[in-house]
Amino acid sequence: MKKQKLFRIILALLIVLNMTAIFCLSAQEAVQSNETSEGFITLICKAFVGRFDSLVPEKQESLVESLSFVVRKAAHMTEFAMLSFLCSLFAASYCVKPKGFALALAFTVLYAVSDEVHQLFVEGRSCQLSDVCVDSVGALLGAGAAALICLVVIRISVRKKRNVHIG
């Protein structure tokens, strides 16, 4: 099996896994989603906030609650940045052109819209335009990162070819 074909298969699997993770997280009812977020934020606090464990429970809860909004939005942005990054690399594996990155970005934004619509059917969840915007910013960052990496790889490849021909 060619390396490029294997690379595409791995990317496709990672894309499906990423989309599945997004879908499963969005399928959580509001109470379960909040518990998942609070558990994750608590782990972050234990790792990065000195003496978090020695705080009284009320202070711990207050800190976790104050970080909740930012962490949840960052998680939204990150999961869609990763999806867009993977889709962009997949498109670039066929041909590195702006159109491929634009299609990957459009696909990711459409998935973000579908994700919000999906949440309309989950108890306690809602469809929010602000989340689509946050997801879209993440998608733009992911596609931009993939484009930048592809550009660097192409430039390195061109330099190596020049050096081979010169030497």
Side-chain angles (χ1 to χ4, degrees), residues 26-93:
S26 291
Q28 290 181 337
E29 293 181 359
V31 172
Q32 184 183 10
S33 178
N34 286 335
E35 287 174 0
T36 300
S37 295
E38 287 174 4
F40 181 72
I41 295 166
T42 300
L43 286 175
I44 292 172
C45 288
K46 286 181 179 186
F48 296 105
V49 176
R51 299 187 193 131
F52 179 79
D53 288 327
S54 65
L55 295 174
V56 295
E58 293 80 23
K59 291 273 188 189
Q60 289 179 352
E61 289 172 20
S62 175
L63 181 58
V64 168
E65 191 176 309
S66 69
L67 293 172
S68 182
F69 179 80
V70 173
V71 170
R72 288 178 75 101
K73 296 307 171 189
H76 263 271
M77 191 178 291
T78 302
E79 63 191 6
F80 283 91
M82 183 58 72
L83 180 58
S84 181
F85 180 80
L86 294 169
C87 290
S88 294
L89 290 182
F90 186 81
S93 75

Side-chain angles (χ1 to χ4, degrees), residues 43-158:
L43 286 175
I44 292 172
C45 288
K46 286 181 179 186
F48 296 105
V49 176
R51 299 187 193 131
F52 179 79
D53 288 327
S54 65
L55 295 174
V56 295
E58 293 80 23
K59 291 273 188 189
Q60 289 179 352
E61 289 172 20
S62 175
L63 181 58
V64 168
E65 191 176 309
S66 69
L67 293 172
S68 182
F69 179 80
V70 173
V71 170
R72 288 178 75 101
K73 296 307 171 189
H76 263 271
M77 191 178 291
T78 302
E79 63 191 6
F80 283 91
M82 183 58 72
L83 180 58
S84 181
F85 180 80
L86 294 169
C87 290
S88 294
L89 290 182
F90 186 81
S93 75
Y94 287 94
C95 184
V96 182
K97 290 188 175 180
K99 183 178 179 181
F101 293 101
L103 287 172
L105 178 61
F107 173 80
T108 306
V109 170
L110 287 173
Y111 193 70
V113 171
S114 75
D115 179 57
E116 289 302 311
V117 171
H118 167 226
Q119 289 181 40
L120 283 172
F121 303 98
V122 178
E123 188 174 327
R125 303 291 292 268
S126 63
C127 177
Q128 296 183 4
L129 179 61
S130 62
D131 280 349
V132 173
C133 293
V134 168
D135 298 344
S136 298
V137 169
L140 185 60
L141 293 172
L148 186 62
I149 289 170
C150 288
L151 181 64
V152 168
V153 168
I154 289 169
R155 293 216 175 166
I156 290 171
S157 176
V158 167

